[in-house]
Structure formats: structure tokens, C-alpha cells
Amino acid sequence: MTRYLLVFIAFVISGCGTLSPKSNADWVGYKESGKGSYYANSHQSKKTASGELYKQELKTGAHKVLPFGSLVKVTNVDTGKSVLVKINDRGPYVKGRVIDLSKSAFSEIGSISNGVIDVQIEVIE
């Protein structure tokens, strides 16, 4: 019985080393379309998933899987306006939304009164 347990543990440990997440460079050129929204004022100065504090005046965003520090071009599909943001948080967690933006980033490409806009995102670096 002990032998089987040791074999199982060795198998599990050896399998852990074979999974390697994508590096930031592997994401360059990645594109995605969907809805973009922005953080509510209540998030100001709260910790993001990366450990940084959310500051609505900075150009930052949240994405479900892109590596922290990724530079992403976010384009408003209707107007063609775009903004560069750094990914420093996880989300959004609303179906159909692909990115949450800081208030200042969102206001560069859309009207805050709209709240949600159609966007395309592209990883730049």
C-alpha cells in the first residue's frame, strides 16, 4: 500500500512541472471583442488582484486571464477611439464583458454616462 502511495505522489509531483503558463510575450497580438465597462467610484484606493491600489486617474484595466502588467490597446468599436491600459486586476465577472477599465481610461474612449460600450482589445506587450 505504501509503495502505491509513493508512486502516486511521485506521479503527481512530476506532472506539476510540465504545465507552464503563457509568458507575456506569448499574448502579444491576442485580440478579443465584447463589452467594456468601468470601475465604480467605490473601488478607489482598494487593492487590485495584483496587489496595486486602484486609482481611477491611472490607465489600468481588469481581464480574466491576461498576465498582470500586459499593455492592452482598448478600442471603442463605434467611434474608433482607443486607449492603452495596463492590466493589474482580474475581472470582469459579468457575462459578455471582456474588460473593466479605470474611470479615466473609459472616459477617453466613451461616455461615462453610457457605462458599457462595445470594445476590441489587443495585447501590445
Side-chain angles (χ1 to χ4, degrees):
M1 181 72 158
T2 304
R3 183 185 308 178
Y4 294 115
L5 182 59
L6 290 174
V7 169
F8 176 75
I9 291 171
F11 177 75
V12 169
I13 290 172
S14 68
C16 291
T18 60
L19 297 176
S20 62
K22 285 184 168 185
S23 71
N24 285 19
D26 293 332
W27 288 98
V28 173
Y30 172 81
K31 293 181 182 180
E32 188 176 4
S33 296
K35 301 287 184 184
S37 54
Y38 69 93
Y39 287 83
N41 290 337
S42 61
H43 292 278
Q44 181 70 2
S45 298
K46 292 187 178 173
K47 262 191 184 179
T48 64
S50 69
E52 296 177 15
L53 296 181
Y54 168 69
K55 300 289 185 189
Q56 64 185 8
E57 63 274 8
L58 300 179
K59 305 296 188 264
T60 59
H63 190 272
K64 291 179 186 88
V65 297
L66 291 177
F68 295 137
S70 296
L71 187 61
V72 177
K73 179 181 176 184
V74 183
T75 304
N76 180 330
V77 174
D78 294 331
T79 65
K81 292 181 180 179
S82 61
V83 63
L84 294 178
V85 299
K86 180 180 85 169
I87 300 298
N88 72 343
D89 202 7
R90 291 290 170 238
Y93 298 107
V94 176
K95 186 177 180 180
R97 293 193 190 170
V98 296
I99 196 162
D100 275 334
L101 298 171
S102 63
K103 197 170 187 178
S104 65
F106 188 95
S107 66
E108 278 201 22
I109 62 171
S111 171
I112 294 295
S113 62
N114 290 341
V116 178
I117 57 175
D118 291 317
V119 296
Q120 178 179 30
I121 67 170
E122 179 180 4
V123 177
I124 304 300
E125 65 177 58

